[in-house]
């Protein structure tokens, strides 16, 4: 039995658990299971791996997407650039790799942990079909772990962006500094904050919505509710809108592809 799962804290409800359980049933995959592993501190990861030697892959969610980096033996380029990992492939340590490095995997065990950021893939593939030439400048609301994948994609696509945060950070705009001109100058607006997520569906990021036009594209990483107040307000102004559901599906499928491929990474 091949074992997969999700680490994070808390894990009260999980898209990944439901998605992969249904995937295994629908595709008649009999030798795989997916479980939740609510670990409060990332320092608990080595013990988790030792107690579940059949683990082949893990998804990583808040608050561990950054802290997990120091436990990995190898990190894919874009994940390293983003500074966050949400997918780990657990593989038997390559004898060739051991010969070159002189070391086994984490804590000397005979496996290695390879880190990826499938959020990058999911976000890019769901965003690109919606982009027009005019969407060359963006506002990114929030600067937490979720924003790291967004920033990486925008940089890869050559889209200039400004981060918008509540607390002062070098180079960032503050929410209370946003003016209508900022909205008019940036026709792509991406919400990476949890503001508006169920059950707080009556909340939305504090931006000048009156300046949104039918040339804007509003993207919300939230998928529950299907249409956040942020997206509703944009739609009322004629903007194109997109939630995070397709991104989640794409990143989950990318995780599965990574876990099941035979390639050994350098």
């Amino acid at each position: 039995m091949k074992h997969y799962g999700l680490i994070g804290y808390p894990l009260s409800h999980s898209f990944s658990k439901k998605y992969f359980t249904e995937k295994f049933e629908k595709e008649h995959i009999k030798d795989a299971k997916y479980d939740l592993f609510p670990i409060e501190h990332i320092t608990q990861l080595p013990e988790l791996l030792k107690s579940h030697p059949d683990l082949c892959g893990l998804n990583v969610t808040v608050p561990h997407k950054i802290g997990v980096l120091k436990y990995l033996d190898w990190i894919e380029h874009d994940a390293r650039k983003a500074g966050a990992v949400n997918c780990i492939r657990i593989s038997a340590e390559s004898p060739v790799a051991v010969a070159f490095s002189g070391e086994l995997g984490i804590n000397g065990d005979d496996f290695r942990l390879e880190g990826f950021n499938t959020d990058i893939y999911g976000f890019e593939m769901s965003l690109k079909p919606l982009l027009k030439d005019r969407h060359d400048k963006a506002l990114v609301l929030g600067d937490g772990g979720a924003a790291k994948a967004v920033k990486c994609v925008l940089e890869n696509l050559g889209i200039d962006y400004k981060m918008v945060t509540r607390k002062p950070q070098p180079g960032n705009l503050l929410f209370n500094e946003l003016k209508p001109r900022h909205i008019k100058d940036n026709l792509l607006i991406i919400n990476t904050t949890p503001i508006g997520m169920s059950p707080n569906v009556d909340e939305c990021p504090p931006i000048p919505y009156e300046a949104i036009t039918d040339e804007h594209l509003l993207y919300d990483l939230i998928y529950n509710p299907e249409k956040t107040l942020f997206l509703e307000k944009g739609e009322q102004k004629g903007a194109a809108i997109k939630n995070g559901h397709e991104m989640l599906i794409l990143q989950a499928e990318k995780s599965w592809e990574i876990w099941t491929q035979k390639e050994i990474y350098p």
Side-chain angles (χ1 to χ4, degrees), residues 47-220:
E47 186 56 41
L48 172 70
L49 295 171
K50 288 180 180 177
S51 60
H52 295 86
D54 56 345
L55 275 171
C56 301
L58 289 170
N59 288 125
V60 184
T61 189
V62 292
H64 302 320
K65 290 184 179 184
I66 299 169
V68 75
L69 295 175
K70 63 185 177 185
Y71 291 92
L72 304 178
D73 299 299
W74 179 87
I75 304 171
E76 185 271 335
H77 172 266
D78 273 354
R80 187 179 295 278
K81 177 181 173 183
V85 158
N86 78 317
C87 174
I88 300 171
R89 188 171 86 148
I90 305 167
S91 60
E93 181 70 299
S94 161
V96 176
V98 172
F100 274 103
S101 69
E103 299 177 354
L104 293 174
I106 186 171
N107 292 332
D109 289 308
D110 59 349
F111 57 81
R112 64 184 239 135
L113 306 182
E114 299 164 346
F116 302 81
N117 191 314
T118 63
D119 284 337
I120 293 172
Y121 172 83
F123 178 65
E124 181 170 351
M125 291 301 103
S126 62
L127 175 70
K128 281 172 71 173
L130 304 174
L131 291 175
K132 308 294 184 186
D133 289 343
R134 62 179 180 266
H135 298 133
D136 58 349
K137 290 195 292 183
L139 293 177
V140 180
L141 311 182
D143 198 8
K148 292 184 178 297
V150 169
K151 290 190 284 186
C152 184
V153 169
L154 295 179
E155 289 167 9
N156 289 345
L157 295 176
I159 297 174
D160 291 333
Y161 63 87
K162 272 285 187 183
M163 310 302 297
V164 184
T165 53
R166 290 188 181 278
K167 296 179 180 178
Q169 295 182 41
N172 288 6
L173 288 168
L174 295 177
F175 275 105
N176 61 16
E177 293 176 340
L178 277 184
K179 307 294 183 196
R181 63 180 173 83
H182 294 118
I183 303 299
K184 291 176 181 176
D185 287 345
N186 296 273
L187 298 180
L188 173 59
I189 305 176
I190 303 155
N191 178 40
T192 73
T193 78
I195 301 172
M197 183 185 296
S198 181
N200 303 312
V201 296
D202 295 328
E203 299 178 1
C204 61
I207 67 173
Y209 290 96
E210 68 274 10
I212 292 173
T213 69
D214 59 5
E215 294 193 331
H216 278 83
L217 168 59
L218 270 59
Y219 192 115
D220 200 330

Side-chain angles (χ1 to χ4, degrees), residues 29-58:
I29 300 170
K30 305 289 188 184
D31 63 341
K33 63 177 180 176
Y34 194 102
D35 287 316
L36 301 181
F37 300 106
I39 59 172
E40 187 171 0
H41 303 290
I42 194 60
T43 53
Q44 297 170 264
L45 178 60
E47 186 56 41
L48 172 70
L49 295 171
K50 288 180 180 177
S51 60
H52 295 86
D54 56 345
L55 275 171
C56 301
L58 289 170

